[in-house]
Each structure stands twice: as C-alpha cells, then as structure tokens.
Amino acid sequence: MKAGYVPFPIIPDTFNASFVSPAFAASVPGGDGDGVRAYVKIPTFEWWKSEFMVFDGKIEYRANDGDQARVAGKAGQQLYLNFATGEGEIK
C-alpha cells in the first residue's frame, strides 16, 4: 500500500459515529507533495470520482472537479470521518 492511502476496516456501530482509519504508517507533507487521500471503492467506477478529504473540519468531495489540495499527515495519526455530520479530522 502506498504511504498516505488508508483502508477503513473500522466501521462505526451507530449511524452518527465516525469511521476511523488505521494509524498512518508514514508521514506525508501535503501541499504540492504527497498527501492523505481517501475514496470509496466502487466497482467499474474511476476511484478519483469517489475521492474526498477533510478541509477545515469538513468533508469535501472531489466528484468531477479537478484534483484536491493535498493534506499533510504524520505517522501514527488517524483519519476520522463522520458522514452523518459531514465533519472529519486528522489527529
């Protein structure tokens, strides 16, 4: 698995709880470099059309728009996504 890409094996028990990634195995700088990226894998669908990331505490979806800005992440941090509230964070 490429550094910065995270699977989400932890699924919340309730509809309003957060999905939590495993701890990041490596640090990524964000900005113009590599960054944390997340997407939903949908058969026969291009992965980037289901990509999303957290910006200022809010989940933003890429959809058909251009590439999203890269978000930094440090080894050991995790990505928290709450789709019920539309909020998320890396901590």
Side-chain angles (χ1 to χ4, degrees):
M1 181 181 349
K2 187 175 179 181
Y5 285 82
V6 295
F8 281 86
I10 302 169
I11 299 174
D13 294 335
T14 61
F15 82 95
N16 60 347
S18 292
F19 285 78
V20 181
S21 76
F24 302 156
S27 296
V28 288
D32 292 334
D34 288 332
V36 178
R37 299 176 84 164
Y39 64 95
V40 175
K41 186 173 182 178
I42 303 170
T44 71
F45 203 68
E46 293 187 55
W47 68 270
W48 59 268
K49 290 186 177 182
S50 63
E51 186 177 22
F52 49 88
M53 188 39 53
V54 175
F55 297 96
D56 298 320
K58 299 289 181 191
I59 298 171
E60 292 186 20
Y61 300 91
R62 178 176 173 180
N64 290 322
D65 292 335
D67 206 3
Q68 291 179 305
R70 298 291 182 258
V71 176
K74 295 179 182 175
Q77 288 184 312
Q78 294 174 283
L79 178 59
Y80 295 77
L81 298 166
N82 187 316
F83 293 102
T85 64
E87 297 175 340
E89 62 183 327
I90 295 174
K91 60 180 184 176

